[in-house]
Amino acid sequence: MSTVCILTPIVIGSWPSIVSAVMGAAGAMGFSVAASAEAPAGTAVDSVETEVANSQVLSEAMSRGEKIRIQKDGVVVEVGVDARGRCSVCASGAGLTKSQLEKIGEDIAGRVVQQFAYHKLMTELKSRGFSIEQERVSNDHSIEVRVRMDR
């Protein structure tokens, strides 16, 4: 007997779990942690901000406005917490159109959500006595996981 389950995640977690998801997504997409988000002097930089849908960051120790910066090929992406406690993604870079930056921001946001949901799912499956039989990542970056109930 088998079941197919498609998850539509709601990202509600602490800042450390969000940072972990950002770092996982960044590594998978070839980004690295940015030392500085400043552009060279005299460079015109466009930026686009996107909100991660269905997200809320919870933590008593976290202050609003916290951000983590990642970069790749002149593009700097800041993933952070806005004043409402929502996770947002801001992509900026010189020489790129707003639509290109928007696509990059949406791709990062999607991968962050995917990493967050994946780690939550794996933790929950293991805590409920399931074992992972097989995992497969498709060309479209979707993840298929086969599990078995340990008895």
Side-chain angles (χ1 to χ4, degrees):
M1 177 174 172
S2 65
T3 301
V4 174
C5 178
I6 299 173
L7 301 176
T8 305
I10 297 175
V11 179
I12 300 177
S14 64
W15 180 243
S17 64
I18 300 295
V19 170
S20 177
V22 170
M23 297 309 293
M29 297 177 77
F31 281 80
S32 61
V33 175
S36 171
E38 296 178 18
T43 305
V45 177
D46 280 328
S47 66
V48 174
E49 187 164 344
T50 305
E51 184 176 303
V52 176
N54 301 320
S55 69
Q56 186 173 0
V57 181
L58 305 172
S59 174
E60 291 107 29
M62 183 214 64
S63 62
R64 304 291 192 223
E66 278 193 74
K67 295 181 181 179
I68 185 167
R69 292 177 179 91
I70 57 176
Q71 66 183 5
K72 175 183 170 186
D73 301 331
V75 175
V76 175
V77 178
E78 293 181 335
V79 180
V81 182
D82 66 16
R84 298 172 295 154
R86 303 280 182 203
C87 191
S88 64
V89 177
C90 180
S92 59
L96 295 172
T97 66
K98 290 218 182 243
S99 63
Q100 289 172 315
L101 290 171
E102 189 173 300
K103 170 104 172 72
I104 291 168
E106 288 173 358
D107 287 348
I108 296 255
R111 293 293 283 274
V112 167
V113 171
Q114 182 186 44
Q115 287 290 311
F116 183 87
Y118 174 81
H119 289 291
K120 282 288 227 192
L121 177 65
M122 290 297 122
T123 301
E124 192 65 27
L125 286 171
K126 289 177 183 173
S127 74
R128 293 181 184 244
F130 287 88
S131 61
I132 309 305
E133 284 190 345
Q134 180 184 12
E135 268 185 70
R136 188 169 51 113
V137 179
S138 301
N139 290 338
D140 67 354
H141 304 289
S142 61
I143 302 170
E144 181 181 315
V145 180
R146 291 187 138 198
V147 297
R148 178 174 39 89
M149 180 71 161
D150 292 334
R151 294 184 190 223

